[in-house]
C-alpha cells in the first residue's frame, strides 16, 4: 500500500517561510521521482516542483523559482519543500505526489494534502 503523508502547512504572513514534509511508505522511495503539486480554491492543480531519483536534479514552476527548494532524504523516505518569501498567491492545498508526469498530471499516488495559507 502506497502512502504519502504531508505535514508542515499552516498560516503565515506574506514574506514568511514554511517547510513542508512528506513521509512515504509502501514503495521503493529512492527509485522514484517525486513532486509537489498545489491546488488553490477554484483553480486546477498546479505542479510546483520535482526532484528526480538518482542524480536528484530538481525542477521548479516559474512561479516559485528562487523562493522554494525541494529536497529528499531517501534513507528516511521523506520529501521536503522549503518555502521562503511566501506570497498570498501561494495559498493552496499542497500535495506530495509520486512521479514527475508534468504533461499529464497522472501521478502514481497523492497524499492527503496540507493547507498553506499566506495572509496578512
Amino acid at each position: 500500500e502506497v502512502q504519502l503523508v504531508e505535514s508542515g502547512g499552516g498560516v503565515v504572513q506574506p514574506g514568511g517561510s514554511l517547510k513542508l514534509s512528506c513521509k512515504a511508505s509502501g514503495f521503493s522511495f529512492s527509485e522514484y521521482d517525486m513532486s509537489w503539486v498545489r491546488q488553490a480554491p477554484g483553480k486546477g492543480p498546479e505542479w510546483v516542483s520535482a526532484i528526480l531519483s538518482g542524480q536528484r536534479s530538481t525542477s521548479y514552476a516559474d512561479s516559485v523559482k528562487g523562493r522554494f527548494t525541494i529536497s529528499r532524504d531517501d534513507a528516511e523516505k521523506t520529501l521536503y519543500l522549503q518555502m521562503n518569501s511566501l506570497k498570498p498567491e501561494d495559498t493552496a492545498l499542497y500535495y506530495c505526489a509520486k512521479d514527475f508526469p508534468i504533461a499529464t498530471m497522472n501521478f502514481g499516488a497523492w497524499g492527503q494534502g496540507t493547507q498553506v495559507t499566506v495572509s496578512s
Side-chain angles (χ1 to χ4, degrees):
E1 179 184 357
V2 174
Q3 289 190 312
L4 299 169
V5 181
E6 301 95 334
S7 62
V11 180
V12 297
Q13 294 184 325
S17 298
L18 282 174
K19 187 172 184 177
L20 307 183
S21 298
C22 170
K23 182 68 176 180
S25 62
F27 67 101
S28 299
F29 180 80
S30 65
E31 298 177 6
Y32 287 85
D33 302 335
M34 296 294 295
S35 295
W36 286 99
V37 179
R38 67 186 182 186
Q39 186 165 17
K43 297 183 178 180
E46 176 190 16
W47 170 80
V48 174
S49 183
I51 182 165
L52 276 60
S53 64
Q55 294 183 352
R56 299 183 183 181
S57 59
T58 59
S59 297
Y60 299 91
D62 289 342
S63 59
V64 306
K65 285 181 179 178
R67 300 188 298 119
F68 290 11
T69 302
I70 189 171
S71 61
R72 64 193 295 165
D73 184 335
D74 287 344
E76 297 297 327
K77 302 182 72 172
T78 304
L79 179 72
Y80 300 98
L81 184 67
Q82 177 66 51
M83 305 184 294
N84 299 325
S85 302
L86 285 162
K87 304 175 180 179
E89 52 263 44
D90 293 319
T91 295
L93 188 63
Y94 283 71
Y95 298 94
C96 172
K98 175 175 174 286
D99 299 320
F100 181 30
I102 187 168
T104 63
M105 297 290 279
N106 186 24
F107 296 93
W110 297 68
Q112 83 289 349
T114 185
Q115 179 67 41
V116 172
T117 301
V118 185
S119 176
S120 60

